[in-house]
Amino acid sequence: MVTARKHELPRLSYNFDELEPHIDAQTVELHYSKHHQAYVDGLNKAEEGLAKARESGDFALVKHLKKEIAFHGSGHILHSIYWENMCSASNATGKPKGNLLSAIESKFGSFEMFEKEFKSSTAVVEGSGWGVLAVIDGKLEILTIEKHQNLTQMGAIPILVCDVWEHAYYLKYQNKRPAYIDGWWNVVNWANVEERYEKSLN
Ligand code: MN3
């Protein structure tokens, strides 16, 4: 019997209300315990299905299973990064330092120009998706993703992700996605982004 590895919700390093006033406690609680949990459950279910298919040699549902794994798996990974990419506003430093700051400045001209491009790109993602700062072959790139898995580039390592599905902001910001992105920017945990950047280069 082939058993698939079970995925679990990651622990948060802050309480639901610690991203206030930028991201409200009710949104964080629902987003984490309902939405993210659903991706974890969907991924586990699809992986069990795939394990059964491998066991029986019956791949009739393989197209469906691979789509489910791409959707829920990407959702689980991106949310796991999203939670770690944030910290309470009182702990937020406003911008990165060190190698990441230098890399941002040399790629985008300045931190302010990077901020403008990241926010502009993320605000106009069609429908549900993500704004992403990624490292591709050692170079920084701003990407956008539709849903969790469309428009991605193979080989990209996400180091900063902003969830712009409506469930991430609608209770507090309604249709004002740019205002949510501005609020989210105030709780970015740049130390975590720096750590992910350094790891991406190894
Ligand atoms: Mn989400």
Side-chain angles (χ1 to χ4, degrees):
M1 168 95 186
V2 185
T3 46
R5 183 169 62 91
K6 284 275 185 188
H7 299 278
E8 291 176 358
L9 268 188
R11 282 181 175 279
L12 295 186
S13 63
Y14 41 80
N15 297 320
F16 294 141
D17 63 358
E18 284 185 273
L19 304 179
E20 298 259 13
H22 305 290
I23 304 181
D24 60 290
Q26 192 186 8
T27 293
V28 177
E29 181 169 10
L30 286 169
H31 195 176
Y32 173 77
S33 59
K34 303 294 182 194
H35 293 275
H36 189 169
Q37 183 69 58
Y39 300 123
V40 170
D41 294 345
L43 177 59
N44 284 330
K45 191 176 165 210
E47 286 194 343
E48 278 164 29
L50 192 58
K52 280 187 192 141
R54 285 175 181 153
E55 213 173 315
S56 65
D58 177 359
F59 290 98
L61 294 178
V62 75
K63 181 176 173 185
H64 166 74
L65 292 168
K66 296 283 182 179
K67 278 189 168 185
E68 287 287 287
I69 289 172
F71 177 79
H72 292 291
S74 299
H76 173 44
I77 289 167
L78 287 168
H79 282 92
S80 299
I81 299 170
Y82 176 74
W83 302 124
E84 285 193 5
N85 275 168
M86 294 187 288
C87 60
S88 66
S90 56
N91 287 329
T93 57
K95 64 191 286 188
K97 49 184 170 41
N99 289 339
L100 176 58
L101 182 60
S102 308
I104 285 175
E105 287 170 344
S106 85
K107 169 84 186 189
F108 301 98
S110 66
F111 180 73
E112 289 66 32
M113 287 300 292
F114 158 69
E115 175 178 350
K116 194 171 181 188
E117 182 175 333
F118 187 94
K119 287 181 172 180
S120 303
S121 315
T122 306
V124 296
V125 169
E126 280 182 26
S128 299
W130 298 77
V132 177
L133 175 65
V135 178
I136 304 175
D137 199 18
K139 304 274 194 322
L140 291 175
E141 198 62 67
I142 293 171
L143 306 177
T144 54
I145 302 175
E146 288 178 5
K147 298 205 285 181
H148 305 303
Q149 73 280 36
N150 298 349
L151 306 181
T152 53
Q153 290 187 28
M154 300 300 285
I157 303 169
I159 61 172
L160 175 67
V161 301
C162 180
D163 189 344
V164 290
W165 286 54
E166 285 183 346
H167 64 231
Y169 60 90
Y170 209 83
L171 290 178
K172 181 178 171 72
Y173 292 99
Q174 291 86 47
N175 62 327
K176 297 187 267 307
R177 185 191 281 179
Y180 153 72
I181 297 171
D182 284 339
W184 170 82
W185 195 259
N186 294 321
V187 291
V188 169
N189 182 353
W190 287 106
N192 178 258
V193 187
E194 286 161 18
E195 198 181 307
R196 290 177 178 278
Y197 176 65
E198 296 297 337
K199 272 191 200 158
S200 78
L201 301 177
N202 292 333

